[in-house]
Amino acid sequence: MTFQVTVQPSGQQFSCEADETVLAAAIRAGVGLPYGCKNGACGSCKGKVVSGSVQHKAHQERALTPDEAAAGYSLFCCATTGADLVIEARVVAGSSDYPIKKMPSRVTTIEKVAPDVVVLTLQLPAAERLNYRAGQYIEFMLRDGKRRSYSMANAPQDGGPVTLHIRHLPGGLFTDQVFSTLKERDILRFEGPMGTFFLRDDSDKPVVLLASGTGFAPLKAIVEHMIHTQSARPVTLYWGGRRPQDLYMDALCRQWALELPQFSYVPVISNAQEEDRWQGRTGFVHQAVMADLPDLSGHQVYACGAPVMVEAARHDFVQQCQLPEDEFYADAFTTEADLAK
């Protein structure tokens, strides 16, 4: 059976099959509902069910609390319906401008930039081009129908190979392969672009970019996009890691800070050891933002990295720093371990 979904306040409508999630149906129809992980862990797709009812597949309670569910909120990436729906959600302008497509890619380089991080470069077919917005991601299609998501780490304007930053998770289905058997010239299939994590170009507000670990990847693409478009918006990048080696492109960020008059860079280390001889900021990276910018009411924040960091930043920036909730954009990097918790 097919049901009708109406989105308020935009008035857009799309059809949803009985066995299809609301988000999957919206993506298929080209309606730009916000989303990130697509597996019930990040909360980016949260919206309200105004009329009708939904059933939820398994999801993380931190992404949708029992109180929120009781108040009519839903995670549309996990929600299916057996009736027509009216939902309340922001429609993200531009998120469906580029078609999602499947394509093969050839591994051209695998560069180890930290003990547990590689930069993977993929060459696309000669007749193909992947159009995307800086900050979006692709999904590798693995055996048995499993998928793994990685953000593009380069801006789309260069038109060349796609680069990804991949951190090794021991026991990980895909990352074990990347760090052991994957070699140059191997073929990997993916689908993309996906996600609604990208710079809102219609704003002139100062930008805070907040990353932990390889959450730096899509933020790097956003900075490169802003350089390409000659954006005059002030940008401050806060990048956090446990040890200095986790900031695997620290030199590039420092170069940006020297060359770009509107760009500032604040590296933050949470677990420096004596041998690191770290002289910079320490502690949790989102708390460094709060110390420097206690009033975020006039800013936009783009946060990417571990779910615990993203959620702490979302809560504290809104509750303590007056950040408007709809000016916090996030992409939480959820792992299989996160989903199993």
Side-chain angles (χ1 to χ4, degrees):
M1 294 182 66
T2 301
F3 306 101
Q4 191 81 1
V5 180
T6 302
V7 186
Q8 293 182 346
S10 71
Q12 290 180 269
Q13 295 183 319
F14 58 92
S15 61
C16 182
E17 304 296 328
D19 60 348
E20 189 175 31
T21 67
V22 173
L23 176 63
I27 293 172
R28 176 173 53 79
V31 175
L33 296 186
Y35 72 97
C37 69
K38 298 199 302 182
N39 55 29
C42 75
S44 295
C45 67
K46 190 185 304 177
K48 196 165 190 177
V49 177
V50 178
S51 69
S53 61
V54 297
Q55 300 78 45
H56 279 106
K57 300 177 182 178
H59 63 275
Q60 296 280 308
E61 189 171 299
R62 67 167 175 250
L64 181 71
T65 67
D67 286 347
E68 288 174 326
Y73 287 90
S74 169
L75 294 179
F76 295 128
C77 72
C78 301
T80 58
T81 185
D84 291 346
L85 286 178
V86 177
I87 64 174
E88 187 178 283
R90 283 186 300 161
V91 173
V92 181
S95 60
S96 56
D97 286 355
Y98 302 126
I100 296 173
K101 53 187 178 180
K102 297 176 182 177
M103 65 172 69
S105 63
R106 186 183 298 277
V107 176
T108 54
T109 61
I110 308 171
E111 179 189 4
K112 199 168 188 179
V113 293
D116 60 347
V117 176
V118 299
V119 174
L120 188 68
T121 305
L122 304 176
Q123 183 65 50
L124 307 183
E128 292 276 9
R129 179 180 173 88
L130 181 65
N131 293 310
Y132 62 94
R133 294 186 178 276
Q136 290 188 296
Y137 67 88
I138 59 174
E139 287 185 347
F140 285 116
M141 298 180 287
L142 310 180
R143 296 176 183 175
D144 302 324
K146 294 183 178 179
R147 293 182 172 227
R148 292 296 183 269
S149 304
Y150 294 94
S151 299
M152 277 77 78
N154 57 312
Q157 288 84 8
D158 59 22
V162 169
T163 62
L164 312 171
H165 297 174
I166 298 179
R167 182 168 66 90
H168 188 205
L169 300 172
L173 177 67
F174 182 66
T175 63
D176 274 357
Q177 174 191 351
V178 171
F179 278 77
S180 59
T181 60
L182 189 71
K183 58 188 183 299
E184 293 179 2
R185 301 192 63 78
D186 281 355
I187 301 295
L188 294 171
R189 289 187 59 80
F190 69 79
E191 186 174 21
M194 296 184 178
T196 55
F197 182 74
F198 51 79
L199 185 71
R200 273 47 175 182
D201 284 318
D202 59 353
S203 173
D204 60 0
K205 289 184 176 183
V207 173
V208 173
L209 303 177
L210 175 63
S212 66
T214 51
F216 170 70
L219 302 186
K220 173 179 175 290
I222 287 174
V223 173
E224 291 176 350
H225 165 74
M226 297 183 78
I227 293 171
H228 176 81
T229 59
Q230 298 182 329
S231 171
R233 297 170 68 178
V235 181
T236 307
L237 168 64
Y238 289 81
W239 189 7
R242 289 175 54 79
R243 306 279 299 277
Q245 66 192 22
D246 295 330
L247 309 185
Y248 51 86
M249 289 190 174
D250 178 73
L252 173 64
C253 299
R254 294 181 186 275
Q255 181 182 338
W256 284 338
L258 287 173
E259 296 177 353
L260 305 174
Q262 80 282 13
F263 180 87
S264 301
Y265 170 51
V266 182
V268 183
I269 298 301
S270 65
N271 194 33
Q273 302 299 303
E274 186 176 347
E275 62 266 27
D276 295 331
R277 298 184 179 179
W278 177 251
Q279 299 296 315
R281 301 281 288 274
T282 58
F284 294 125
V285 66
H286 88 282
Q287 291 179 348
V289 177
M290 297 171 69
D292 294 348
L293 300 168
D295 182 359
L296 288 168
S297 59
H299 289 69
Q300 284 186 337
V301 174
Y302 296 82
C304 190
V308 63
M309 182 277 288
V310 170
E311 284 309 306
R314 185 195 308 271
H315 178 272
D316 291 351
F317 291 176
V318 172
Q319 297 298 320
Q320 300 181 42
C321 300
Q322 297 80 52
L323 178 73
E325 195 163 1
D326 60 359
E327 293 287 28
F328 184 90
Y329 306 96
D331 186 7
F333 279 10
T334 55
T335 66
E336 287 300 300
D338 292 322
L339 299 176
K341 289 179 183 176

